[in-house]
Amino acid sequence: MTRKFFGTDGIRGRTNEAPMTAAMAQRIGQAAGAHFLRGEHRHRVVIGKDTRLSGYMMETALVSGFTSVGMDVVMVGPVPTPAVAMLTHSMRADLGVMISASHNKFVDNGIKLFGPDGYKLSDKDEMAIEALLEQEPRLVPAEQIGRSRRIEDARGRYIHAAKLTFPKHLRLDGLKVVIDCANGAAYQVAPSALWELGATVIAIGVEPNGLNINDGCGSTDPTVLKETVVASGADIGLALDGDADRLIVVDEEGESIDGDQLMALIGSSWHRRGRLRGGGIVSTVMSNLGLERYMNELGLRLERTQVGDRYVLEAMRARGYNVGGEQSGHIILSEYATTGDGLVAGLQILAELVAQDKPASELLKLFEPLPQLLKSVRYGGGAPLEADKVKAAIAAGEAALGDKGRLVIRKSGTEPVIRVMAEGEDEALVARIVNEICEEVKAA
């Protein structure tokens, strides 16, 4: 059965257009709340959000939905997605909700759901909630309506939990760190955690106004971060996205370091210390072939999944891995978090920077990535990947790359685009293949 509303990371869309309307948010609250009503205890849901303007509207609608089916609501305000996951479990809530469209601009919003264990919902749970969305809500009698309240110590709880992941014998004293919070959910917690661990902190992207989240800042646009790192003589720069579940790093020379290199560093260092479980790491089909070859040289595996950090986590849990992530910067360290956590991943990188006493430019370039090109083609409907000419172009590209490269074509799970990625040893060939396939997709 195909999911109608849920994509690879919750429900997402343009605000005030279906499905991202207040009415739909209320229905989602009613459906998700009804699905997680189990037992005779007083049920509780934790709701967090990022800093986009529409978060107020979506939060209010969700509170209305949850309380109408008998759930109490705890609102924690702007906090990172991993904070909501952590608080859901630590507060013994039955459900957690993060209102965020992650790295998208303010015009979009989304709803991410977490189960009582702090993990994102399974396909089975999402399908059950979708089925309830098609039915009339099961409203409770007036005396059973839930209550809502706001707590003020959520950020402090998360900062404390994040700092506990940093090695106790290390400090960040003497290290100058630029942190770009994308004018998003971590604008308070990330600079505070770094400062409390001893770093000299230069914080940018920490003046949210509801409209500037991910706007010329954060992990999707580290231009200002690069300039600031070089101009200030900082040792390293960290860039989070709007809900702080992903991380991109900039070295002291102003060069971007993606999630593949971050996973290589964490995976290899944990392997040397006997901490790595599963015999390797988990990533998606989008990770560079250079990462796979590097892990193989260490006698380790790179297990690939379909795109989406939830699928990475599912493979990690099923097969006993404790390090995984995506090239885009979602880094999952299952000993510390139940989802991607940009701040926690950043602290692991900073710990290695201190422990190995190397410049970031040396520490974070463990393998030479193969030439890789990714392009996106927006489409308005239909099935362009089923067109004969598109299939022929894909087949020709695969034949041209042979066993010296890879070709990945997929529909995005969060927006109406086709993503075309190729990598191989010949950069010109990679570019030609991607461009030819993109042209055929456009024509279709």
Side-chain angles (χ1 to χ4, degrees), residues 40-59:
E40 299 301 319
H41 65 280
R42 193 74 192 175
H43 290 76
R44 171 188 289 182
V45 56
V46 172
I47 300 181
K49 60 182 179 179
D50 63 23
T51 57
R52 63 195 74 218
L53 180 62
S54 58
Y56 295 100
M57 177 184 77
M58 304 303 286
E59 179 184 56

Side-chain angles (χ1 to χ4, degrees), residues 270 274-281 316 319-323 334-335:
W270 283 23
R275 292 185 57 189
L276 190 67
R277 297 202 309 266
I281 65 176
M316 291 172 65
R319 300 173 182 88
Y321 293 90
N322 61 348
V323 175
S334 60
E335 292 184 6

Side-chain angles (χ1 to χ4, degrees), residues 3 13 71 74 105-106 108 128 134 149 195 212 231-233 238 241 251 258-259 267 279 314 388 418 439:
R3 291 180 296 180
M71 266 199 166
V74 177
K105 296 293 177 63
F106 83 94
D108 294 333
E134 304 291 341
R149 63 188 175 97
W195 184 83
N212 61 359
S232 65
L238 308 179
D241 67 337
D251 67 25
D258 67 15
E314 285 176 3
D388 289 339
I418 303 292
E439 287 304 316

Side-chain angles (χ1 to χ4, degrees), residues 194-329:
L194 295 174
W195 184 83
E196 289 176 17
L197 287 168
T200 298
V201 180
I202 301 174
I204 60 177
V206 290
E207 298 179 352
N209 61 15
L211 308 178
N212 61 359
I213 187 170
N214 301 312
D215 186 11
C217 57
S219 62
T220 53
D221 189 353
T223 304
V224 177
L225 175 63
K226 293 178 179 182
E227 295 170 352
T228 307
V229 167
V230 174
S232 65
D235 297 288
I236 195 170
L238 308 179
L240 307 174
D241 67 337
D243 68 333
D245 66 352
R246 70 167 70 183
L247 169 75
I248 295 296
V249 172
V250 170
D251 67 25
E252 81 282 2
E253 297 175 350
E255 295 296 318
S256 290
I257 310 295
D258 67 15
D260 284 348
Q261 295 283 5
L262 304 184
M263 286 186 285
L265 175 62
I266 296 172
S268 61
S269 63
W270 283 23
H271 173 59
R272 286 195 307 273
R273 292 173 172 79
R275 292 185 57 189
L276 190 67
R277 297 202 309 266
I281 65 176
V282 181
S283 190
T284 74
V285 294
M286 303 302 287
S287 277
N288 196 278
L289 194 56
L291 172 61
E292 186 171 345
R293 292 177 177 177
Y294 174 74
M295 299 305 291
N296 292 163
E297 289 171 1
L298 298 178
L300 301 171
R301 293 188 299 274
L302 173 65
E303 182 158 339
R304 294 184 184 270
T305 71
Q306 61 181 301
V307 173
D309 62 329
R310 58 178 293 182
Y311 301 111
V312 171
L313 184 56
E314 285 176 3
M316 291 172 65
R317 297 181 73 187
R319 300 173 182 88
Y321 293 90
N322 61 348
V323 175
E326 296 186 279
Q327 185 185 70
S328 61

